[in-house]
């Protein structure tokens, strides 16, 4: 405000008087021109500088006559501070605020006397501003004196601007009030400006940077160091944090941490452990060691001085217990029941899966009427989230052996016959034959099944028996095996013999057909001639009985030839 008034005053002064103004810097030498340097030295008879010492009382400073040296006529404070340049300008050393007068250059040339008055204004930039009287803390919602910004030794007085994070804070009459005071320093007449900021803080002001800037015609970028302030406010929210391993299982340690957003933050809390109240001072956490499943439930924490400010958290202790009623090794008789039972105790619904021999099963193991194929290694896996439990057992199904298949076939080259005996039983049955043969292979005993193969070269038809036995019983089956020679006789018949027989049959059939055709034709011709003869002689139409007899004998003879 003072700065603005000073500028307005200077402007009005210039407008009223119409005087030219020269601005000089405090402490520097000021040059005040005479008639803007338009006056020529050779045209003047006399040059005289003076100033308005008091109202209507001039004060002489110096005089220069033509072709003579400058003579200082001042007897006051200007005696040793004034001089003249070659172009008739007045030099004023070590400018002060008390030098702000109207200085006049009087020029005498011939019979003319001219005066050129000039107004002198002295300015000085302020020192770098700084903040003092800083508040220890700012309370949210309460207008508090944040601090005082001081800009010293300037003319005209500096203008102070408050900044928050380098943005201008403008007074609004409510949250932000700014009060400026200008103090004139005795002796120098320079101004010290003090600007006081009253501010109502918000949460967003936490860590905000507050500073002030001094604005002046002779300087720029004069900014104080930034200041931060503690923002205090009451607790508005409480959060209970549970710090532990994930998942939380029995035996883990659990840290209950109560977090409040007040500033300063509360340091003491009440912890409600499922109905048991524990007071903790100078700490925000409580530790539960070796937690158990019955510790699951609701936990709370609250402020000691304000129990209504509380937070709640449900804690679930995960557990998974699996009990299988079978031993690691299980032996049952074929047809018996497994009697399997599984007990699961868990904090949530688990997933159960079975595998046999490393292959996942779609359902749990068979429990009744066990077969040899049910034997094997069974694995159980129960999972609940990241928790998993495993159990296993090996099932052996025992019983007397039974032969399921007794087969015969030729080997690849046809030189031997291969006999195959497949049987079930456990323990592994022993396999024996009633003939000697070459063992080809015996498949591994798997799921109670054994397969035994032998190769034989029988020279005669045989009845072969396969016998299987173990400690629980015995079983035998027989199979008829023909000799290789008979098979070879049948398989190696001469194909030409079959062809001859076929040709013979075809020839006989064709011969019979031809003979029948010849007899038919002969009989037809005979009958035709007989009829023609009777017409000529007038004999009986059927001929004599002797001729008929002869014809019948001939037909019989031809028929016998056709049979042959």
């Amino acid at each position: 405000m003072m700065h603005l008034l000073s500028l307005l005053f200077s402007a009005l002064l210039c407008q009223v008087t119409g005087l030219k103004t020269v601005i000089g810097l405090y402490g520097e030498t000021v040059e005040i021109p005479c008639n803007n340097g338009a006056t020529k030295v050779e045209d003047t008879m006399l040059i005289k500088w003076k100033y308005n010492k008091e109202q209507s009382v001039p004060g002489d400073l110096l005089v220069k006559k033509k072709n003579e040296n400058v003579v200082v006529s001042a007897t006051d404070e200007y005696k040793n501070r004034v001089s003249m340049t070659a172009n008739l300008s007045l030099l004023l050393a070590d400018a002060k605020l008390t030098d702000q007068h109207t200085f006049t250059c009087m020029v005498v040339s011939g019979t003319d006397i001219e005066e050129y008055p000039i107004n002198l204004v002295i300015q000085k930039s302020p020192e770098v501003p700084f903040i003092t009287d800083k508040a220890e803390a700012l309370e949210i919602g309460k207008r508090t004196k944040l601090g005082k910004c001081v800009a010293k030794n300037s003319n005209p007085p500096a203008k102070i601007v408050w900044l928050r994070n380098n943005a201008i804070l403008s007074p609004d009459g409510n949250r932000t009030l700014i009060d400026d005071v200008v103090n004139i320093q005795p002796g120098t007449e320079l101004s010290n400006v003090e600007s006081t900021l009253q501010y109502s803080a918000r949460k967003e002001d936490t860590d905000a940077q507050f500073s002030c800037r001094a604005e002046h015609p002779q300087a720029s970028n004069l900014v104080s160091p930034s200041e931060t302030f503690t923002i205090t406010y009451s607790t508005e929210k409480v959060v209970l944090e549970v710090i532990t391993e994930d998942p939380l299982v029995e035996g883990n340690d659990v840290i209950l941490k109560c977090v409040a957003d007040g500033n300063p933050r509360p340091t003491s809390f009440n912890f409600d452990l499922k109905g048991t109240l524990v007071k903790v001072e100078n700490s925000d956490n409580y530790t539960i060691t070796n937690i158990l499943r019955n510790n699951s439930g609701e936990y709370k924490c609250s402020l000691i001085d304000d129990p209504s400010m509380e937070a709640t958290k449900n804690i679930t202790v995960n557990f998974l217990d699996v009990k299988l009623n079978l031993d690691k090794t299980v032996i049952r008789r074929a047809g018996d029941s497994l009697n399997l039972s599984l007990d699961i105790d868990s904090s949530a619904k688990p997933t159960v899966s079975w595998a046999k021999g490393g292959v996942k099963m779609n359902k749990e193991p068979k429990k009744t009427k066990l077969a040899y194929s049910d034997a094997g290694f069974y694995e159980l896996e129960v999972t609940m989230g990241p928790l998993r439990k495993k159990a296993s057992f090996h099932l052996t199904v025992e019983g007397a052996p039974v032969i399921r298949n007794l087969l015969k076939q030729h080997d690849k080259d046809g030189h031997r016959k291969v006999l195959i005996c497949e049987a079930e039983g456990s323990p592994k049955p022993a396999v024996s034959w009633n003939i000697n043969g070459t063992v080809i292979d015996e498949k591994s005993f798997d799921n109670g099944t054994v397969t035994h193969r032998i190769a034989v070269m029988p020279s005669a038809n045989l009845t072969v028996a396969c016998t299987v036995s173990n400690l629980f019983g015995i079983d035998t089956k027989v199979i008829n095996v023909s000799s290789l020679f008979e098979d070879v006789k049948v398989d190696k018949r001469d194909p030409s013999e079959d062809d001859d027989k076929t040709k013979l049959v075809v020839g006989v059939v064709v011969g019979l057909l031809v003979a029948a055709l010849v007899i038919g034709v002969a009989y037809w011709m005979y009958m035709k001639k007989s009829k023609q003869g009777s017409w000529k002689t007038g004999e009986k139409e059927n001929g004599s009985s002797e001729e008929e007899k002869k014809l019948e004998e001939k037909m019989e003879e031809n028929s016998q030839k056709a049979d042959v």
Side-chain angles (χ1 to χ4, degrees), residues 122 184 208-209 345 353 372 379 423 438 524 539:
I122 303 299
I184 306 300
Q209 302 285 325
D345 187 13
S353 62
Y372 295 114
E379 291 178 287
T438 302
W524 177 76
E539 294 178 355

Side-chain angles (χ1 to χ4, degrees), residues 16 21-22 24 47 50-51 81-82 84 121 147 165 242 244 274-275 338 348 377 390 412 473 476 504 513 523 552 564:
V16 172
T21 300
V22 172
I47 298 294
K50 56 184 178 179
Y51 73 100
R81 295 172 55 209
V82 294
M84 185 181 295
V121 174
N165 293 334
V242 178
T244 186
K274 295 179 62 178
L338 181 59
F377 182 69
K390 292 184 176 182
K412 293 181 179 179
T476 300
L504 178 62
L513 292 175
Y523 180 77
E552 290 176 357
V564 174

Side-chain angles (χ1 to χ4, degrees), residues 136-144 146 163-169 172 175-176 197-211 226-233 263:
E136 292 185 0
L138 301 178
E139 185 177 349
I140 287 182
K142 181 180 180 180
R143 197 167 60 209
T144 306
L146 182 143
L163 305 173
R164 177 188 178 276
N165 293 334
N166 294 322
I168 295 177
L169 272 176
D172 58 9
R175 294 186 61 249
T176 305
L197 171 62
Q198 294 188 55
Y199 187 71
S200 178
R202 294 173 292 185
K203 280 187 180 181
E204 305 87 82
D205 293 315
T206 302
D207 300 326
Q209 302 285 325
F210 288 87
S211 59
S226 297
E227 304 285 350
T228 57
F229 296 87
T230 299
I231 309 300
T232 63
Y233 55 94
N263 192 27

Side-chain angles (χ1 to χ4, degrees), residues 407-413 415-421 433 436-443 451-457:
L407 308 172
K408 61 182 177 179
Q409 61 186 32
H410 287 284
D411 63 2
K412 293 181 179 179
D413 56 12
H415 294 161
R416 298 182 302 177
K417 289 193 174 183
V418 177
L419 305 182
I420 305 170
C421 186
W433 302 83
N436 293 326
T438 302
V439 177
I440 297 178
D441 64 47
E442 180 178 316
K443 288 186 178 180
T451 302
H452 199 271
R453 300 169 185 264
I454 63 170
V456 296
M457 300 178 64

